[in-house]
Amino acid sequence: MGKYNFDEMTVRRGTNCVKWDAESPAGPIGEDVIPLWVADMDFKVAPEIIEALRRRVDHGVFGYTHIPDSYYEAAINWWERRRGWHTEKEWYLPIDGIVPGMSVVIEALTHYEVDAEGNVARKPNGGKGPNGELPKVIIQSPAYNCFFSSIRNNGCEISANKLIYDTEGDQATWYIDFEDLEKRAADPMAKVLLFCNPHNPCGRVWPKEDLQKVAEICRRNGVIIVSDEIHCELEMPGYHFTPMATIDQDNTITMNSPSKSFNIAGLGISNIITNNPAWRKQIDRVINIWEHCDLNPFGVIALQAAYNEGEQWIKELMEYLQGNYRMLTEYFENELPMFPVSKVEGTYLAWVDVTAIDMPSMEIEKSLIENEKVWINGGKMYGLDGFMRINMACQRARFKEAIERIGKGFKRLLK
C-alpha cells in the first residue's frame, strides 16, 4: 500500500479546466463525457506541493516575484541526484512555460547572434539563406502539435525526420530514421533539431545509444539540439530517461519543467538550461523582447516543493500509471487486436493505430464524443493521420469506463 491515493476521484468540471470544460470538436462537452485528450492528469497534486502553496497563500501578498537561490538549488540537486547531471545556477533561464520557451529558443537561435562586440543582434537578412531560404528546424514526426506551430510562427521551415513504425515485435514501437536524419542535418539551412524525450505522442524513452547517434550527427553538421524533456520523470518502471545534455552538454539546450510530471502546468514554471554563454545571451534577449520575464510566485514555490519533496510521489504515480497502461493493453489485445497500441516507455499517453477504421482520425474523435461520450485526440494534429492519442492519467475506475467506451466506439466504426 503506497503513501498516496491515486484512486481518489476528483471533480474538475466547472472549475474552468481546459480538459473538462473546453469546447470539443463536437461542440460543448456534456456532463457525461469522459475527456482523455489534453495532457494533464486528473490526480490531485502531491500534498507536499499543496502544503507549500498553502503557506504562500496564507502570506496574502502576491506581487512580482524574485527567484531565490533555493529555487536553483532545488533544481541543481534534483538533476544531480536523479540523473547524475551537473548543472550550475547561471545555466538556468526560468520562463513561464515550455511552449513559450520553445518559441523563444527557436527565435533566438535562428534569427539572432552575438556580434563581435558581444552584443545580441539580428542576423543579416533575418537568418535567411542567400536566396531567401528559411532556416530549418528538424523534428521527429509524429510530434507534439506545438512543435509545428512554434516553428512556423517563428518564420522557419519544418524538416520532418519521420519516425519508423515497427509492428513486427511483441508490441508496436517507433525508431529514429538515422539515415534520413543525417541527410536533413547536412542541409545548410538546418539550424536546430527540436528533440522530444520521452517522445510525445509515440511514448519512447530514447535509449542512450540513440541519443549518442543523434548527438554525433547534429554536432558533425553544426545543428544545435533543443531537447524538450518536459515528460522526463514520467518513465514507466523498467525504463530510464537520460538527459540529452549528459550526452553532449556543449551542443544541447534543455527545456524542462515539473509541470507534466507533478501536474502543475497551470502554475506556469519552466527552465531553459544551457552552459553556452552566447546562446544564453541570445535567448535572454528574446525573453525580454517578448516580455516573458515575470514568473508566477506559485510556480516558483511549487517547483521547489516538487524537487525537494516529490520523489516518492513520482515513484508511486508511475506504478499507478503502469497499472492503467496494463489494463489498456490487455483490453485491446483481447477485444481490439486490430488496433495496435504502441509500447509506452514514458509519458502517460498511449498512441493507438486506428487505420483499421476507414475514416480520418479527427472524424473518429468527433464520432466518439457524440456517440460514446469519450474524448481522445485524433493523430492528424501530431502530423500523422490513422492514429489516436489516449491520456491514461486518471483514476482507474474512470479509466476502465473510458476504455470500454472507446472499445464500443471502435467496434461500431469498424462495421
Side-chain angles (χ1 to χ4, degrees):
M1 185 71 179
K3 179 179 178 182
Y4 304 102
N5 179 16
F6 294 99
D7 282 320
E8 180 186 357
M9 283 293 182
T10 53
V11 177
R12 303 187 66 193
R13 184 172 277 118
T15 63
N16 298 317
C17 163
V18 168
K19 186 176 184 181
W20 286 81
D21 292 330
E23 186 160 317
S24 80
I29 61 173
E31 294 287 324
D32 50 354
V33 172
I34 300 176
L36 302 180
W37 63 293
V38 70
D40 75 0
M41 299 188 278
D42 287 336
F43 310 121
K44 282 188 178 178
V45 170
E48 293 84 356
I49 297 175
I50 293 172
E51 182 55 35
L53 293 173
R54 183 176 288 117
R55 290 194 297 269
R56 183 66 182 84
V57 168
D58 287 345
H59 179 259
V61 181
F62 314 119
Y64 297 117
T65 295
H66 166 73
I67 301 176
D69 284 345
S70 56
Y71 173 97
Y72 299 103
E73 289 165 4
I76 289 166
N77 292 337
W78 178 264
W79 300 124
E80 191 85 56
R81 186 171 70 247
R82 295 274 293 180
R83 309 296 171 185
W85 177 27
H86 175 74
T87 60
E88 298 180 12
K89 175 183 174 180
E90 57 267 25
W91 297 2
Y92 286 76
L93 291 164
I95 194 167
D96 52 356
I98 287 287
V99 174
M102 182 193 314
S103 293
V104 161
V105 172
I106 291 171
E107 173 76 5
L109 296 181
T110 58
H111 299 306
Y112 286 82
E113 62 186 0
V114 176
D115 63 22
E117 286 74 41
N119 300 311
V120 178
R122 281 190 70 83
K123 290 182 177 181
N125 201 24
K128 293 180 180 178
N131 298 309
E133 304 96 330
L134 296 177
K136 291 182 179 178
V137 177
I138 303 168
I139 61 171
Q140 271 92 26
S141 63
Y144 173 48
N145 54 295
C146 287
F147 278 24
F148 298 95
S149 57
S150 180
I151 293 167
R152 293 191 184 104
N153 290 343
N154 283 282
C156 296
E157 183 178 328
I158 295 165
S159 179
N161 171 223
K162 295 180 180 179
L163 296 175
I164 299 168
Y165 182 42
D166 181 7
T167 58
E168 295 300 314
D170 292 339
Q171 193 172 357
T173 193
W174 299 79
Y175 297 99
I176 296 172
D177 186 337
F178 290 104
E179 183 178 349
D180 180 72
L181 177 60
E182 181 79 60
K183 292 176 183 175
R184 293 179 183 280
D187 184 332
M189 292 309 298
K191 306 301 180 184
V192 170
L193 167 66
L194 185 52
F195 195 65
C196 190
N197 185 33
H199 191 276
N200 172 17
C202 293
R204 290 300 311 271
V205 174
W206 299 113
K208 188 176 288 188
E209 311 82 70
D210 285 14
L211 300 182
Q212 289 167 339
K213 289 180 184 177
V214 169
E216 196 277 328
I217 289 171
C218 288
R219 176 170 283 278
R220 178 158 29 83
N221 289 283
V223 173
I224 302 169
I225 300 170
V226 177
S227 191
D228 173 6
E229 300 178 358
I230 194 171
H231 294 275
C232 69
E233 302 305 335
L234 300 169
E235 52 194 358
M236 286 292 176
Y239 294 93
H240 183 75
F241 161 80
T242 301
M244 178 61 88
T246 64
I247 305 298
D248 190 348
Q249 186 144 273
D250 293 337
N251 194 45
T252 299
I253 295 172
T254 301
M255 298 188 303
N256 217 301
S257 172
S259 61
K260 294 295 182 190
S261 303
F262 289 95
N263 206 29
I264 54 173
L267 298 183
I269 192 71
S270 300
N271 290 304
I272 301 166
I273 309 170
T274 173
N275 68 343
N276 186 305
W279 294 346
R280 286 201 302 272
K281 269 191 173 183
Q282 291 165 228
I283 294 165
D284 188 54
R285 178 66 181 134
V286 178
I287 286 174
N288 281 274
I289 290 170
W290 289 2
E291 301 291 359
H292 283 292
C293 320
D294 293 325
L295 297 181
N296 183 325
F298 300 107
V300 173
I301 294 294
L303 179 142
Q304 294 175 76
Y307 287 166
N308 289 333
E309 305 176 73
E311 280 187 86
Q312 183 61 30
W313 189 86
I314 282 288
K315 179 178 182 295
E316 293 185 25
L317 167 72
M318 293 316 299
E319 290 169 353
Y320 190 87
L321 289 173
Q322 186 182 44
N324 279 4
Y325 170 56
R326 189 180 299 116
M327 183 169 67
L328 174 75
T329 54
E330 288 175 357
Y331 180 87
F332 271 72
E333 286 169 5
N334 294 328
E335 299 290 331
L336 303 164
M338 67 293 292
F339 298 98
V341 178
S342 294
K343 184 187 297 182
V344 177
E345 302 170 351
T347 80
Y348 47 72
L349 306 165
W351 188 235
V352 181
D353 184 336
V354 295
T355 52
I357 299 173
D358 186 21
M359 62 189 298
S361 60
M362 306 308 282
E363 290 185 21
I364 297 173
E365 175 179 346
K366 185 177 179 183
S367 180
L368 292 178
I369 297 167
E370 291 173 337
N371 293 278
E372 280 72 37
K373 310 302 181 186
V374 62
W375 185 2
I376 60 178
N377 282 132
K380 187 177 181 181
M381 67 187 296
Y382 309 105
L384 188 62
D385 214 347
F387 287 80
M388 307 288 289
R389 196 186 77 167
I390 301 173
N391 181 343
M392 301 182 289
C394 69
Q395 294 77 10
R396 190 152 298 146
R398 182 178 283 157
F399 191 56
K400 181 176 184 295
E401 171 64 24
I403 292 171
E404 290 172 354
R405 293 186 189 189
I406 293 167
K408 181 180 177 183
F410 282 3
K411 290 174 182 177
R412 171 179 58 81
L413 293 169
L414 269 176
K415 296 176 182 177

